[in-house]
């Protein structure tokens, strides 16, 4: 029993978590840092996306609190590149209230939770705690957001089949196979249109736009 309890306390997320906070508003960052540190977590604060990328590469953390509007870009770009590289780090987005597009896009890109500003420090701490608990009890990485069901020639988004044309399917499947890599238009054309010589770069652009 003693060992079991020791093990439990060792695994308790509140004991060990290191949280990266990416937020450019000093007042909000102060409030968030205070709320998180009060729970016993270590907080590293970054103001720039560029700085957060360096922190993530150098310093392992258990959770990212992510603001979206940042001086050197959009927070969703960081989320997108994390997920494209297979990184399942729990991400909680902080953003302006009523920004439905950012909220929906963020969740579709693989954010784990979303908290509109202004937020209550207690609610932030509670949501972070829930995410850390979930991450610590999830033995395997979170399931891929997009799943290529090659035999059925269909792509699932969180278990839901996407309504795609045959070309769109082949295009998306090609992108998923090379997730995180850059594809030329010629490669995409080849993957989705094969020997159909009437298709052009414009065709690829149009289809990619539809997929987006
Ligand atoms: Ca901001």
């Amino acid at each position: 029993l003693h060992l079991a309890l020791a093990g439990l306390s060792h695994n308790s997320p509140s004991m060990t978590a290191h949280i990266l906070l990416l937020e450019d508003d000093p007042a909000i960052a102060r409030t968030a840092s205070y709320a998180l540190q009060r729970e016993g977590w270590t907080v590293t604060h970054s103001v720039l996306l560029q700085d957060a990328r360096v922190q993530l590469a150098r310093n392992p953390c258990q959770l990212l609190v992510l603001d979206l509007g940042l001086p050197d870009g959009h927070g969703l770009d960081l989320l997108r590149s994390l997920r494209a590289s297979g990184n399942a780090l729990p991400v909680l987005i902080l953003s302006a209230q009523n920004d439905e597009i950012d909220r929906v896009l963020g969740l579709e890109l693989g954010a784990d939770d979303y908290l509109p500003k202004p937020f209550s420090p207690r609610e932030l701490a509670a949501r972070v705690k829930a995410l850390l608990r979930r991450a610590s009890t999830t033995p395997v990485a979170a399931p891929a957001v997009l799943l290529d069901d090659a035999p059925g020639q269909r792509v699932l988004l969180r278990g839901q089949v996407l309504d795609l044309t045959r070309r769109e399917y082949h295009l998306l499947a090609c992108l998923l196979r090379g997730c995180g890599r850059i594809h030329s238009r010629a490669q995409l054309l080849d993957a989705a249109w094969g020997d159909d010589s009437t298709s052009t770069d414009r065709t690829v652009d149009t289809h990619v736009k539809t997929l987006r």
Side-chain angles (χ1 to χ4, degrees), residues 23-24 67 69 117:
E23 167 63 68
D24 64 325
D67 177 31
K117 294 174 186 173

Side-chain angles (χ1 to χ4, degrees), residues 22-25 28 47 67-71 94-95 117:
L22 178 51
E23 167 63 68
D24 64 325
D25 183 303
I28 295 173
V47 171
D67 177 31
L68 297 183
L70 294 154
L94 293 180
S95 192
K117 294 174 186 173

Side-chain angles (χ1 to χ4, degrees), residues 162-188:
L162 292 182
D163 184 17
L164 301 173
T165 65
R166 192 165 60 90
R167 303 290 192 204
E168 286 164 2
Y169 165 73
H170 285 296
L171 197 55
L172 188 53
C174 171
L175 291 168
L176 286 171
R177 276 195 301 276
C179 196
R181 284 209 307 268
I182 294 171
H183 296 75
S184 67
R185 287 190 177 81
Q187 287 169 327
L188 295 175

